Amino acid sequence: MLGVSTMIRGGLVIAACVVMAGVAGCDDGGTTQYFEIEYAWIGGEPAVGQNTLLVRVSDVSTDLRTSGLAVDVEPYMPLHGHGSPDTPEVTDLGNGDYRVAPLTFQMPGTWEITIDVEDGGVHEQVRFEIDVPDEGI
């Protein structure tokens, strides 16, 4: 299991922390109409520079992990109105897991991460915020 999965049920947002060995901390995820999308940082919490994200996608109706989807990840810094200097590459690892790298944050601050998942005519999206700390740069 990865991160914190945020589910919206009847207008309520429910968050539950689940842990996976070797993955940094608990982070938000999301449930859409068709997919549960979870994520975790690989190699430590996000920092200025290049980072790696693991995204896990499951089908909500079957609770089975889903591979072979078109997954896109977009970092954006709303305060400064810019994205990342690098385009993250998404690699399908199988069994519903997708590796996203490099996820580059060129400065500290609040970043929005948008994860788009598409399967045929179904397009779903989750967005979450992270705070990239100033590590004395």
Side-chain angles (χ1 to χ4, degrees):
M1 293 290 176
L2 303 177
V4 169
S5 179
T6 305
M7 295 179 251
I8 302 173
R9 300 265 193 249
L12 298 175
V13 177
I14 304 164
C17 182
V18 288
V19 179
M20 178 177 160
V23 178
C26 290
D27 301 303
D28 293 333
T31 299
T32 66
Q33 182 177 354
Y34 298 101
F35 303 111
E36 179 176 10
I37 301 168
E38 301 173 284
Y39 74 92
W41 299 99
I42 298 174
E45 293 294 328
V48 172
Q50 293 186 344
N51 299 269
T52 301
L53 187 68
L54 180 66
V55 174
R56 178 168 288 164
V57 181
S58 300
D59 184 306
V60 170
S61 65
T62 63
D63 205 30
L64 296 175
R65 293 192 218 160
T66 308
S67 287
L69 305 172
V71 176
D72 184 56
V73 178
E74 181 77 29
Y76 180 74
M77 188 175 211
L79 181 64
H80 293 238
H82 63 75
S84 174
D86 298 320
T87 301
E89 182 178 322
V90 179
T91 304
D92 187 342
L93 302 175
N95 200 28
D97 290 339
Y98 298 83
R99 180 180 179 271
V100 182
L103 202 53
T104 303
F105 306 116
Q106 67 264 39
M107 62 181 59
T110 301
W111 287 78
E112 290 180 352
I113 309 296
T114 302
I115 302 174
D116 287 300
V117 177
E118 188 169 347
D119 184 20
V122 175
H123 177 252
E124 299 282 346
Q125 181 181 87
V126 295
R127 180 175 293 133
F128 58 91
E129 287 187 351
I130 62 162
D131 287 315
V132 175
D134 182 350
E135 299 292 328
I137 59 170

